[in-house]
Amino acid sequence: MRYFIGSFRFLLIALYILFLIFFAVLVLPVLTDESRAAWIRRLARIVPRIMGVRVKVSGGIPDEDAVTLARRQGKTGYMICSNHISFLDIFLLDSILPVRFVAKKEIESWPVFGLISRAAGTLFIDRSRKRAVLEMAEKMNETLRAGESVLFFPEGTTGEGRVLLPFYANLFASAVATEAELIPVVIRYTQKGKVTTIPSYAGNIPLFTVMKRIVFSSGLEAEVQVLEPISSAGVDRKTLCAQTSAVMSAALGVPDATVAKEEAVRQRREAALKHD
């Protein structure tokens, strides 16, 4: 029975992806920004349902009408950051928050998800270039000042979901430069009440393999928690990064790896000074 259900889900997701390609190519480009955001949220909600993943959202999600009004009034958008575990993260976050994602350049060339990402207005960062971070920060600043919200993954890669990886502070500079309010979001995948690594593609696991693991599993739940906003006024990027890592680690109930990393760097510097 599990094999039949999994196979049926896999077929449905394949058909739905074909529909998303059609929609991304022919419909999204002609929509207004507000209509595009609304449609992306509607379509994103369907993906976890088809794959058999129950979604539970908690916390203070920004009101859609208030966000739209703020944008029309020329107010700065939100800076949002989340931990990153699975390709499903994108659909979960798209379904509850109107955002533009920051993603690695490689995704832009992916056959299916690259096309959908481009149509959805994703900002791509080429980490192989030295000026990439500076150029991305400028794009993020422009987007935020235009009233749009931007979401990035401060870990810089995907984790397995049991811990929070150390954060990179560079992209937090955009929140500081624009004084955008920062909203931390944490994602946790569970199976029958226990944290699971099934949806994770950490370690370069092929996307196809992860999709099979999800659709052939039962009792999967995605828990998305929107945390209290953090003010970026009057702080530098490293301080904002540390504050965000602290609250996200506490929400997940895991050690703060960013603090541990900074402490390790400090100890190495002190040891080097003593050696000299």
Side-chain angles (χ1 to χ4, degrees):
M1 187 64 178
R2 174 54 49 191
Y3 179 80
F4 173 78
I5 293 173
S7 299
F8 181 66
R9 284 176 178 165
F10 209 90
L11 175 61
L12 283 180
I13 197 65
L15 293 173
Y16 190 63
I17 286 173
L18 290 176
F19 168 74
L20 289 179
I21 293 173
F22 164 81
F23 199 88
V25 172
L26 298 180
V27 180
L28 283 183
V30 301
L31 297 177
T32 64
D33 290 341
E34 292 172 13
S35 295
R36 185 184 301 115
W39 270 106
I40 287 173
R41 285 196 296 280
R42 293 187 193 110
L43 296 173
R45 292 189 185 110
I46 297 173
V47 174
R49 292 177 187 171
I50 292 177
M51 302 193 77
V53 179
R54 183 185 175 192
V55 180
K56 179 182 177 182
V57 181
S58 61
I61 303 170
D63 179 77
E64 182 179 340
D65 292 334
V67 171
T68 300
L69 179 60
R71 182 179 178 184
R72 289 174 178 171
Q73 293 175 341
K75 295 182 180 178
T76 303
Y78 291 108
M79 172 79 88
I80 301 163
C81 69
S82 168
N83 58 320
H84 194 17
I85 302 167
S86 173
F87 75 93
L88 271 178
D89 301 347
I90 307 296
F91 296 99
L92 295 175
L93 295 165
D94 257 339
S95 70
I96 61 174
L97 298 166
V99 298
R100 293 184 67 180
F101 284 87
V102 175
K104 59 184 180 181
K105 182 70 174 178
E106 294 92 318
I107 292 178
E108 188 175 16
S109 61
W110 288 6
V112 175
F113 289 101
L115 187 152
I116 295 172
S117 298
R118 289 195 301 273
T122 300
L123 304 173
F124 295 102
I125 179 170
D126 183 359
R127 296 185 182 276
S128 66
R129 297 174 56 249
K130 291 183 178 180
R131 285 189 51 83
V133 173
L134 291 175
E135 291 171 357
M136 177 52 65
E138 291 173 3
K139 288 182 182 178
M140 292 169 69
N141 292 351
E142 292 173 3
T143 303
L144 289 166
R145 289 186 177 120
E148 295 184 86
S149 297
V150 177
L151 188 147
F152 72 106
F153 300 111
E155 295 167 291
T157 186
T158 51
E160 63 173 17
R162 297 186 187 277
V163 297
L164 197 62
L165 302 175
F167 285 5
Y168 291 93
N170 290 334
L171 294 183
F172 284 90
S174 289
V176 174
T178 60
E179 294 191 349
E181 203 167 38
L182 189 141
I183 302 178
V185 178
V186 292
I187 298 173
R188 181 189 291 107
Y189 291 96
T190 62
Q191 184 178 40
K192 298 175 182 177
K194 296 182 179 179
V195 175
T196 180
T197 61
I198 289 174
S200 170
Y201 56 74
N204 296 319
I205 299 173
L207 181 61
F208 182 78
T209 301
V210 177
M211 291 176 69
K212 281 203 309 182
R213 288 195 320 202
I214 294 172
V215 298
F216 283 99
S217 299
S218 62
L220 288 179
E221 182 172 271
E223 300 175 6
V224 184
Q225 184 179 1
V226 182
L227 306 177
E228 288 296 316
I230 300 174
S231 174
S232 62
V235 298
D236 58 40
R237 61 183 175 86
K238 289 189 176 181
T239 300
L240 185 60
C241 174
Q243 290 176 344
T244 307
S245 179
V247 297
M248 290 175 65
S249 298
L252 289 169
V254 299
D256 189 341
T258 303
V259 167
K261 178 183 176 182
E262 290 299 318
E263 178 61 20
V265 170
R266 186 187 66 79
Q267 290 179 1
R268 285 198 298 271
R269 286 174 179 169
E270 288 183 355
L273 289 172
K274 289 179 181 179
H275 180 74
D276 292 341

